[in-house]
Coordinates of all heavy atoms in Angstrom, one line a residue:
M150 N 3.9 -12.8 13.0 CA 3.9 -14.0 12.2 C 3.1 -13.9 11.0 O 1.9 -13.4 11.1 CB 3.4 -15.2 13.1 CG 3.3 -16.5 12.4 SD 3.0 -17.8 13.6 CE 1.9 -18.8 12.8
V151 N 3.6 -14.2 9.9 CA 2.9 -14.1 8.6 C 1.9 -15.2 8.5 O 2.3 -16.4 8.7 CB 3.9 -14.0 7.4 CG1 3.1 -13.9 6.1 CG2 4.8 -12.8 7.6
T152 N 0.7 -14.9 8.1 CA -0.3 -16.0 7.9 C -0.9 -15.9 6.5 O -0.6 -14.9 5.8 CB -1.5 -15.7 8.9 OG1 -2.1 -14.5 8.6 CG2 -1.0 -15.7 10.4
S153 N -1.6 -16.9 6.1 CA -2.2 -16.9 4.8 C -3.2 -15.8 4.7 O -3.3 -15.2 3.6 CB -2.8 -18.2 4.4 OG -3.8 -18.6 5.4
Q154 N -3.9 -15.4 5.7 CA -4.8 -14.3 5.7 C -4.1 -13.0 5.5 O -4.5 -12.2 4.6 CB -5.6 -14.3 7.0 CG -6.7 -13.2 7.0 CD -7.4 -13.1 8.4 OE1 -6.8 -13.3 9.4 NE2 -8.6 -12.7 8.3
H155 N -3.0 -12.8 6.2 CA -2.2 -11.6 6.0 C -1.7 -11.5 4.5 O -1.8 -10.5 3.9 CB -1.0 -11.6 6.9 CG -0.1 -10.5 6.8 ND1 1.0 -10.5 5.9 CD2 0.0 -9.3 7.5 CE1 1.6 -9.3 6.0 NE2 1.1 -8.6 6.9
E156 N -1.1 -12.6 4.0 CA -0.6 -12.6 2.7 C -1.7 -12.4 1.6 O -1.5 -11.7 0.6 CB 0.1 -13.9 2.4 CG 1.4 -14.0 3.1 CD 2.4 -12.9 2.8 OE1 2.9 -12.9 1.6 OE2 2.7 -12.1 3.6
G157 N -2.9 -13.0 1.9 CA -4.0 -12.9 1.0 C -4.5 -11.4 0.9 O -4.8 -10.9 -0.2
L158 N -4.6 -10.7 2.0 CA -5.0 -9.3 2.0 C -4.0 -8.5 1.3 O -4.4 -7.5 0.5 CB -5.2 -8.8 3.4 CG -6.4 -9.5 4.2 CD1 -6.4 -9.1 5.7 CD2 -7.7 -9.0 3.5
T159 N -2.8 -8.7 1.4 CA -1.7 -8.0 0.7 C -1.8 -8.2 -0.8 O -1.8 -7.3 -1.6 CB -0.3 -8.3 1.2 OG1 -0.3 -8.0 2.6 CG2 0.7 -7.5 0.5
K160 N -2.1 -9.5 -1.2 CA -2.2 -9.8 -2.6 C -3.4 -9.2 -3.2 O -3.4 -8.8 -4.4 CB -2.2 -11.3 -2.8 CG -0.9 -12.0 -2.5 CD 0.1 -11.7 -3.5 CE 1.4 -12.5 -3.2 NZ 2.5 -12.0 -3.9
V161 N -4.5 -9.1 -2.5 CA -5.7 -8.4 -3.0 C -5.4 -7.0 -3.5 O -5.8 -6.6 -4.5 CB -6.8 -8.4 -2.0 CG1 -7.9 -7.4 -2.3 CG2 -7.4 -9.8 -1.8
A162 N -4.5 -6.3 -2.7 CA -4.2 -4.9 -3.1 C -3.2 -4.8 -4.2 O -3.2 -3.9 -4.9 CB -3.7 -4.2 -1.8
T163 N -2.3 -5.8 -4.3 CA -1.2 -5.7 -5.2 C -1.3 -6.6 -6.5 O -0.6 -6.4 -7.4 CB 0.2 -6.1 -4.6 OG1 0.1 -7.5 -4.1 CG2 0.5 -5.2 -3.4
F164 N -2.4 -7.4 -6.5 CA -2.5 -8.3 -7.7 C -2.7 -7.6 -9.0 O -2.1 -7.9 -10.0 CB -3.7 -9.3 -7.4 CG -3.9 -10.3 -8.4 CD1 -2.9 -11.3 -8.7 CD2 -5.0 -10.4 -9.2 CE1 -3.0 -12.3 -9.7 CE2 -5.2 -11.3 -10.2 CZ -4.2 -12.3 -10.4
Q165 N -3.6 -6.6 -9.0 CA -3.9 -5.9 -10.2 C -3.9 -4.4 -9.8 O -4.9 -3.8 -9.5 CB -5.2 -6.2 -10.8 CG -5.2 -7.6 -11.4 CD -6.5 -7.9 -12.2 OE1 -7.5 -7.3 -12.1 NE2 -6.4 -8.9 -13.0
P166 N -2.7 -3.8 -9.9 CA -2.5 -2.4 -9.5 C -3.5 -1.4 -10.1 O -3.9 -0.4 -9.4 CB -1.1 -2.0 -9.9 CG -0.4 -3.3 -9.8 CD -1.4 -4.3 -10.3
D167 N -3.9 -1.6 -11.3 CA -4.9 -0.6 -11.9 C -6.3 -0.8 -11.3 O -7.0 0.2 -11.2 CB -4.9 -0.8 -13.4 CG -3.7 -0.2 -14.1 OD1 -3.2 0.9 -13.6 OD2 -3.2 -0.8 -15.0
H168 N -6.7 -1.9 -10.9 CA -7.9 -2.1 -10.2 C -7.8 -1.4 -8.8 O -8.8 -0.8 -8.3 CB -8.3 -3.5 -10.0 CG -8.8 -4.2 -11.3 ND1 -9.1 -5.5 -11.4 CD2 -9.0 -3.7 -12.5 CE1 -9.4 -5.8 -12.6 NE2 -9.4 -4.7 -13.3
T169 N -6.7 -1.5 -8.2 CA -6.5 -0.9 -6.9 C -6.5 0.6 -7.0 O -7.1 1.3 -6.2 CB -5.1 -1.3 -6.2 OG1 -5.1 -2.7 -6.1 CG2 -4.9 -0.7 -4.9
R170 N -6.0 1.2 -8.1 CA -6.1 2.6 -8.4 C -7.5 3.1 -8.4 O -7.9 4.0 -7.8 CB -5.4 2.9 -9.8 CG -5.6 4.4 -10.1 CD -5.3 4.8 -11.6 NE -4.4 3.9 -12.3 CZ -3.3 4.3 -12.9 NH1 -2.8 5.5 -12.7 NH2 -2.6 3.4 -13.6
H171 N -8.4 2.3 -9.2 CA -9.8 2.7 -9.3 C -10.5 2.7 -7.9 O -11.3 3.5 -7.6 CB -10.5 1.8 -10.3 CG -10.0 2.0 -11.7 ND1 -10.1 3.2 -12.4 CD2 -9.4 1.1 -12.5 CE1 -9.5 3.1 -13.6 NE2 -9.1 1.8 -13.7
M172 N -10.1 1.6 -7.1 CA -10.7 1.5 -5.8 C -10.3 2.7 -4.9 O -11.2 3.3 -4.2 CB -10.3 0.2 -5.2 CG -10.8 0.0 -3.8 SD -10.1 -1.4 -3.0 CE -8.4 -1.0 -2.9
L173 N -9.0 3.0 -4.9 CA -8.5 4.1 -4.1 C -9.1 5.5 -4.5 O -9.4 6.3 -3.7 CB -7.0 4.1 -4.1 CG -6.3 3.0 -3.4 CD1 -4.8 2.9 -3.7 CD2 -6.6 3.0 -1.9
L174 N -9.3 5.7 -5.8 CA -9.9 6.9 -6.3 C -11.3 7.0 -5.9 O -11.8 8.0 -5.4 CB -9.8 7.0 -7.8 CG -8.4 7.3 -8.4 CD1 -8.4 7.1 -9.9 CD2 -8.0 8.7 -8.1
A175 N -12.1 5.9 -6.0 CA -13.5 5.9 -5.6 C -13.7 6.0 -4.1 O -14.6 6.8 -3.7 CB -14.1 4.6 -6.1
L176 N -12.9 5.4 -3.3 CA -13.1 5.4 -1.9 C -12.5 6.6 -1.2 O -13.1 7.2 -0.2 CB -12.4 4.2 -1.2 CG -13.1 2.8 -1.5 CD1 -12.3 1.7 -1.0 CD2 -14.5 2.8 -1.0
F177 N -11.3 7.1 -1.6 CA -10.6 8.2 -0.9 C -10.3 9.4 -1.7 O -9.7 10.3 -1.2 CB -9.3 7.6 -0.3 CG -9.5 6.4 0.5 CD1 -9.1 5.1 0.1 CD2 -10.2 6.5 1.8 CE1 -9.3 4.0 0.9 CE2 -10.4 5.4 2.6 CZ -9.9 4.1 2.1
D178 N -10.6 9.4 -3.0 CA -10.3 10.5 -3.9 C -8.9 11.0 -3.8 O -8.6 12.2 -3.7 CB -11.3 11.7 -3.6 CG -11.3 12.7 -4.7 OD1 -11.1 12.3 -5.8 OD2 -11.5 13.9 -4.4
L179 N -8.0 10.0 -3.8 CA -6.5 10.4 -3.7 C -6.0 10.9 -5.0 O -6.6 10.6 -6.1 CB -5.7 9.1 -3.3 CG -6.0 8.5 -2.0 CD1 -5.3 7.1 -1.8 CD2 -5.6 9.4 -0.9
P180 N -5.0 11.8 -4.9 CA -4.5 12.4 -6.2 C -3.6 11.5 -7.0 O -2.4 11.8 -7.3 CB -3.7 13.6 -5.6 CG -3.2 13.2 -4.3 CD -4.3 12.3 -3.7
I181 N -4.1 10.3 -7.3 CA -3.3 9.3 -8.0 C -3.3 9.7 -9.5 O -4.4 9.8 -10.1 CB -3.9 7.9 -7.8 CG1 -3.9 7.5 -6.4 CG2 -3.1 6.9 -8.7 CD1 -4.6 6.2 -6.1
P182 N -2.1 9.8 -10.2 CA -2.1 10.1 -11.6 C -2.8 9.0 -12.4 O -2.7 7.9 -12.1 CB -0.6 10.1 -11.9 CG 0.1 10.2 -10.6 CD -0.8 9.6 -9.6
K183 N -3.5 9.5 -13.4 CA -4.2 8.5 -14.3 C -3.3 8.1 -15.5 O -3.6 7.3 -16.3 CB -5.5 9.2 -14.8 CG -6.5 9.3 -13.7 CD -7.8 9.9 -14.1 CE -8.6 10.0 -12.8 NZ -9.7 10.9 -12.9
S184 N -2.1 8.8 -15.6 CA -1.2 8.5 -16.6 C -0.4 7.2 -16.3 O -0.1 6.9 -15.1 CB -0.2 9.6 -16.8 OG 0.6 9.8 -15.7
G185 N 0.0 6.5 -17.3 CA 0.8 5.3 -17.1 C 0.1 4.2 -16.4 O -1.0 4.3 -15.8
E186 N 0.7 3.0 -16.5 CA 0.2 1.8 -15.9 C 0.6 1.7 -14.4 O 1.7 2.1 -14.1 CB 0.8 0.6 -16.6 CG -0.2 -0.5 -16.8 CD 0.4 -1.6 -17.7 OE1 0.5 -1.4 -18.9 OE2 0.8 -2.6 -17.1
G187 N -0.3 1.3 -13.5 CA 0.1 1.0 -12.2 C 1.1 -0.2 -12.1 O 0.9 -1.1 -13.0
R188 N 2.0 -0.2 -11.3 CA 3.0 -1.3 -11.2 C 3.5 -1.5 -9.8 O 3.4 -0.6 -8.9 CB 4.2 -1.0 -12.1 CG 4.9 0.3 -11.8 CD 5.7 0.8 -13.0 NE 6.4 2.1 -12.7 CZ 5.8 3.3 -12.9 NH1 4.5 3.4 -13.3 NH2 6.5 4.4 -12.7
L189 N 3.9 -2.7 -9.6 CA 4.5 -3.1 -8.3 C 5.8 -2.3 -8.1 O 6.5 -2.1 -9.0 CB 4.7 -4.6 -8.2 CG 3.5 -5.5 -8.1 CD1 4.0 -6.9 -8.1 CD2 2.7 -5.2 -6.9
A190 N 6.0 -1.9 -6.9 CA 7.2 -1.2 -6.5 C 7.9 -2.0 -5.4 O 7.3 -2.9 -4.8 CB 6.9 0.2 -6.0
S191 N 9.1 -1.7 -5.1 CA 9.8 -2.4 -4.1 C 9.3 -2.1 -2.7 O 9.1 -0.9 -2.4 CB 11.3 -2.1 -4.1 OG 12.0 -2.7 -3.0
P192 N 8.9 -3.1 -1.9 CA 8.5 -2.8 -0.5 C 9.6 -2.5 0.4 O 9.4 -2.4 1.6 CB 7.7 -4.1 -0.2 CG 8.4 -5.2 -1.0 CD 8.8 -4.5 -2.2
D193 N 10.9 -2.5 -0.1 CA 12.0 -2.2 0.7 C 12.1 -0.7 1.0 O 12.3 0.1 0.1 CB 13.3 -2.6 0.0 CG 14.6 -2.2 0.7 OD1 14.5 -1.6 1.8 OD2 15.7 -2.4 0.1
L194 N 11.8 -0.3 2.2 CA 11.8 1.1 2.6 C 13.0 1.5 3.4 O 13.0 2.2 4.4 CB 10.5 1.4 3.5 CG 9.2 1.0 2.9 CD1 8.1 1.2 3.8 CD2 9.0 1.7 1.6
S195 N 14.2 1.0 3.0 CA 15.4 1.1 3.7 C 15.9 2.5 3.8 O 16.8 2.8 4.6 CB 16.5 0.2 3.1 OG 16.8 0.5 1.8
E196 N 15.4 3.4 3.0 CA 15.8 4.9 3.1 C 15.0 5.6 4.2 O 15.3 6.7 4.5 CB 15.6 5.6 1.8 CG 16.6 5.1 0.7 CD 16.4 5.8 -0.6 OE1 16.0 7.0 -0.6 OE2 16.8 5.3 -1.6
A197 N 14.1 4.9 4.8 CA 13.3 5.4 5.9 C 14.0 5.3 7.2 O 15.1 4.7 7.3 CB 11.9 4.7 6.0
D198 N 13.5 6.0 8.2 CA 14.1 5.9 9.6 C 13.1 5.1 10.4 O 12.0 5.6 10.5 CB 14.3 7.3 10.1 CG 15.0 7.2 11.4 OD1 15.6 6.2 11.8 OD2 15.0 8.3 12.1
P199 N 13.3 4.0 10.9 CA 14.6 3.3 11.0 C 15.1 2.8 9.7 O 14.4 2.6 8.7 CB 14.3 2.1 12.0 CG 12.8 1.8 11.7 CD 12.2 3.1 11.4
A200 N 16.4 2.5 9.7 CA 17.1 2.1 8.4 C 16.6 0.9 7.8 O 16.6 0.8 6.6 CB 18.6 2.0 8.7
V201 N 16.2 -0.1 8.5 CA 15.6 -1.3 7.9 C 14.1 -1.4 8.2 O 13.6 -1.4 9.3 CB 16.3 -2.6 8.6 CG1 15.7 -3.8 8.0 CG2 17.8 -2.6 8.4
C202 N 13.4 -1.3 7.1 CA 12.0 -1.3 7.1 C 11.4 -1.9 5.9 O 11.8 -1.5 4.8 CB 11.5 0.2 7.3 SG 9.8 0.3 7.5
W203 N 10.5 -2.9 6.0 CA 9.9 -3.5 4.8 C 8.4 -3.4 5.0 O 7.8 -3.6 6.0 CB 10.3 -5.0 4.8 CG 11.6 -5.2 4.2 CD1 12.8 -5.2 4.9 CD2 11.9 -5.5 2.9 NE1 13.8 -5.4 4.1 CE2 13.3 -5.7 2.8 CE3 11.2 -5.7 1.7 CZ2 14.0 -6.0 1.6 CZ3 11.9 -6.0 0.5 CH2 13.3 -6.1 0.5
A204 N 7.8 -3.0 3.9 CA 6.3 -2.9 3.9 C 5.8 -4.3 3.3 O 6.5 -5.1 2.8 CB 5.8 -1.8 2.9
D205 N 4.5 -4.5 3.5 CA 3.9 -5.7 3.0 C 3.8 -5.7 1.5 O 3.9 -6.7 0.8 CB 2.5 -5.9 3.6 CG 2.5 -6.3 5.1 OD1 3.5 -6.9 5.5 OD2 1.5 -5.9 5.7
G206 N 3.6 -4.5 0.9 CA 3.6 -4.3 -0.5 C 3.7 -2.8 -0.8 O 3.6 -2.0 0.0
A207 N 3.9 -2.5 -2.1 CA 4.0 -1.2 -2.5 C 3.6 -1.1 -4.0 O 3.9 -2.0 -4.8 CB 5.5 -0.6 -2.4
L208 N 2.9 0.0 -4.4 CA 2.5 0.3 -5.7 C 2.9 1.6 -6.1 O 3.1 2.5 -5.3 CB 1.0 0.2 -5.8 CG 0.3 -1.1 -5.5 CD1 -1.2 -1.0 -5.4 CD2 0.7 -2.2 -6.4
L209 N 3.2 1.8 -7.4 CA 3.6 3.1 -7.9 C 2.7 3.4 -9.2 O 2.6 2.6 -10.0 CB 5.1 3.1 -8.3 CG 5.7 4.4 -8.8 CD1 5.6 5.5 -7.7 CD2 7.1 4.2 -9.2
Y210 N 2.2 4.7 -9.2 CA 1.4 5.1 -10.3 C 2.0 6.4 -10.9 O 2.6 7.2 -10.2 CB 0.0 5.4 -9.8 CG -0.8 4.3 -9.2 CD1 -0.8 4.1 -7.9 CD2 -1.4 3.3 -10.1 CE1 -1.5 3.0 -7.3 CE2 -2.0 2.2 -9.5 CZ -2.1 2.1 -8.2 OH -2.7 1.0 -7.7
G211 N 1.8 6.5 -12.2 CA 2.2 7.8 -12.9 C 3.4 7.6 -13.7 O 4.1 6.6 -13.6
D212 N 3.7 8.6 -14.5 CA 4.8 8.6 -15.4 C 5.6 9.9 -15.2 O 5.1 10.9 -14.7 CB 4.4 8.7 -16.9 CG 3.8 7.3 -17.4 OD1 4.3 6.3 -16.9 OD2 2.9 7.3 -18.2
G213 N 6.9 9.9 -15.5 CA 7.8 11.1 -15.4 C 7.8 11.6 -14.0 O 7.9 10.9 -13.0
E214 N 7.5 12.9 -13.9 CA 7.5 13.6 -12.6 C 6.2 13.4 -11.8 O 6.1 13.7 -10.7 CB 7.8 15.1 -12.8 CG 9.2 15.4 -13.4 CD 10.3 15.0 -12.4 OE1 10.2 15.3 -11.2 OE2 11.3 14.4 -12.9
D215 N 5.2 13.0 -12.5 CA 3.8 12.9 -12.0 C 3.7 11.4 -11.4 O 3.2 10.5 -12.1 CB 2.8 13.1 -13.1 CG 1.4 13.2 -12.5 OD1 1.2 13.5 -11.3 OD2 0.4 13.0 -13.3
K216 N 4.1 11.2 -10.2 CA 4.0 9.9 -9.6 C 3.3 9.9 -8.2 O 3.3 11.0 -7.5 CB 5.4 9.3 -9.4 CG 6.1 9.0 -10.7 CD 7.4 8.2 -10.5 CE 7.9 7.8 -11.8 NZ 9.2 8.3 -12.0
F217 N 2.8 8.8 -7.8 CA 2.1 8.6 -6.5 C 2.3 7.2 -6.1 O 2.1 6.3 -6.8 CB 0.6 8.9 -6.7 CG -0.2 9.0 -5.4 CD1 -0.3 10.3 -4.8 CD2 -0.7 7.9 -4.8 CE1 -1.0 10.4 -3.7 CE2 -1.4 8.1 -3.6 CZ -1.6 9.3 -3.0
G218 N 2.9 7.1 -4.9 CA 3.1 5.8 -4.3 C 2.2 5.4 -3.2 O 1.7 6.2 -2.5
I219 N 1.9 4.1 -3.2 CA 1.0 3.5 -2.1 C 1.8 2.5 -1.4 O 2.4 1.6 -2.0 CB -0.2 2.8 -2.7 CG1 -1.0 3.8 -3.6 CG2 -1.1 2.2 -1.7 CD1 -1.8 4.9 -2.8
V220 N 1.9 2.5 -0.1 CA 2.5 1.5 0.8 C 1.4 0.7 1.4 O 0.4 1.3 2.0 CB 3.4 2.2 1.9 CG1 3.9 1.1 2.8 CG2 4.5 3.0 1.2
I221 N 1.5 -0.6 1.3 CA 0.4 -1.5 1.8 C 0.9 -2.2 3.1 O 2.0 -2.8 3.1 CB 0.1 -2.6 0.7 CG1 -0.5 -1.8 -0.5 CG2 -0.9 -3.6 1.3 CD1 -0.1 -2.4 -1.8
E222 N 0.2 -2.0 4.1 CA 0.5 -2.7 5.4 C -0.8 -3.3 5.9 O -1.8 -2.7 6.1 CB 0.9 -1.7 6.5 CG 2.4 -1.4 6.4 CD 3.3 -2.6 6.7 OE1 3.0 -3.3 7.6 OE2 4.2 -2.8 5.9
T223 N -0.8 -4.6 6.0 CA -2.0 -5.4 6.4 C -2.1 -5.5 7.9 O -1.1 -5.9 8.6 CB -2.0 -6.8 5.8 OG1 -1.9 -6.7 4.4 CG2 -3.2 -7.6 6.2
Q224 N -3.1 -5.0 8.5 CA -3.4 -5.1 10.0 C -4.6 -6.0 10.2 O -5.7 -5.7 9.7 CB -3.7 -3.7 10.6 CG -2.5 -2.9 11.0 CD -1.6 -3.6 11.9 OE1 -0.4 -3.8 11.5 NE2 -2.0 -4.0 13.1
R225 N -4.4 -7.1 10.8 CA -5.5 -8.1 11.0 C -6.2 -7.8 12.4 O -7.2 -8.5 12.7 CB -5.0 -9.5 10.9 CG -4.4 -9.8 9.6 CD -3.9 -11.2 9.5 NE -4.5 -12.2 10.3 CZ -3.9 -12.9 11.2 NH1 -2.7 -12.8 11.4 NH2 -4.6 -13.8 11.9
G226 N -5.6 -7.0 13.2 CA -6.3 -6.7 14.5 C -5.7 -5.5 15.1 O -4.7 -4.9 14.6
L227 N -6.2 -5.1 16.2 CA -5.8 -3.9 16.9 C -4.5 -4.2 17.7 O -4.4 -5.2 18.4 CB -6.8 -3.4 17.9 CG -6.5 -2.2 18.7 CD1 -6.4 -1.0 17.8 CD2 -7.6 -1.9 19.7
D228 N -3.5 -3.4 17.4 CA -2.2 -3.5 18.1 C -2.0 -2.3 19.0 O -1.8 -1.2 18.5 CB -1.1 -3.6 17.1 CG 0.3 -3.8 17.8 OD1 0.4 -3.6 19.0 OD2 1.2 -4.2 17.0
K229 N -2.2 -2.4 20.3 CA -2.2 -1.2 21.2 C -0.8 -0.5 21.2 O -0.7 0.6 21.7 CB -2.6 -1.6 22.6 CG -4.1 -2.1 22.6 CD -4.6 -2.3 24.0 CE -5.9 -2.9 23.9 NZ -7.0 -2.0 24.0
E230 N 0.2 -1.2 20.7 CA 1.6 -0.6 20.7 C 1.8 0.3 19.5 O 2.8 1.0 19.4 CB 2.6 -1.6 20.8 CG 2.6 -2.3 22.2 CD 3.7 -3.4 22.3 OE1 4.7 -3.3 21.6 OE2 3.6 -4.2 23.2
R231 N 0.9 0.2 18.5 CA 1.1 1.0 17.3 C 0.3 2.4 17.4 O -0.7 2.4 18.1 CB 0.6 0.3 16.1 CG 1.4 -0.9 15.7 CD 0.9 -1.5 14.4 NE 1.7 -2.6 14.1 CZ 2.2 -2.9 12.9 NH1 2.0 -2.0 12.0 NH2 2.9 -3.9 12.7
H232 N 0.8 3.3 16.7 CA 0.1 4.6 16.7 C -1.1 4.5 15.7 O -1.0 3.9 14.7 CB 1.0 5.7 16.2 CG 2.2 6.0 17.1 ND1 2.0 6.6 18.3 CD2 3.5 5.6 16.9 CE1 3.2 6.7 18.9 NE2 4.1 6.1 18.1
H233 N -2.3 5.0 16.1 CA -3.5 4.9 15.3 C -3.9 6.3 15.0 O -3.9 7.2 15.8 CB -4.6 4.2 16.0 CG -4.2 2.7 16.3 ND1 -4.3 1.8 15.3 CD2 -3.7 2.1 17.4 CE1 -3.9 0.6 15.8 NE2 -3.6 0.8 17.0
H234 N -4.4 6.5 13.7 CA -4.9 7.8 13.3 C -6.3 7.6 12.7 O -6.6 6.5 12.3 CB -4.0 8.4 12.2 CG -2.6 8.6 12.7 ND1 -2.2 9.6 13.5 CD2 -1.4 7.8 12.4 CE1 -0.9 9.5 13.7 NE2 -0.4 8.4 13.1
G235 N -7.1 8.6 12.8 CA -8.4 8.5 12.2 C -9.4 8.0 13.3 O -9.2 8.2 14.4
R236 N -10.4 7.2 12.8 CA -11.5 6.8 13.7 C -11.0 5.7 14.6 O -10.1 4.9 14.3 CB -12.6 6.2 12.8 CG -13.3 7.3 12.0 CD -14.5 6.7 11.3 NE -14.8 7.6 10.2 CZ -15.6 7.3 9.3 NH1 -16.2 6.1 9.3 NH2 -15.9 8.1 8.3
G237 N -11.7 5.5 15.7 CA -11.4 4.4 16.5 C -10.7 4.8 17.7 O -10.3 4.3 18.6

């Protein structure tokens, strides 16, 4: 169920894509291109498997061939049925 908290967290990441770029670079040192303006991308991931898949949000950075995409998925709690990577 979508809640205002879920929507708010997604909006924080997608509201100003260039601020999100700076945050991701500072926190994770991701190879995000510095060229071009960050922009919202379609959260429709229908080319993925399974065929119908929507993300909470998506951002795209870079110009021409130099692009980097971010998929935003808001998790408000531990879901034991999902696969977890990293700490925890």
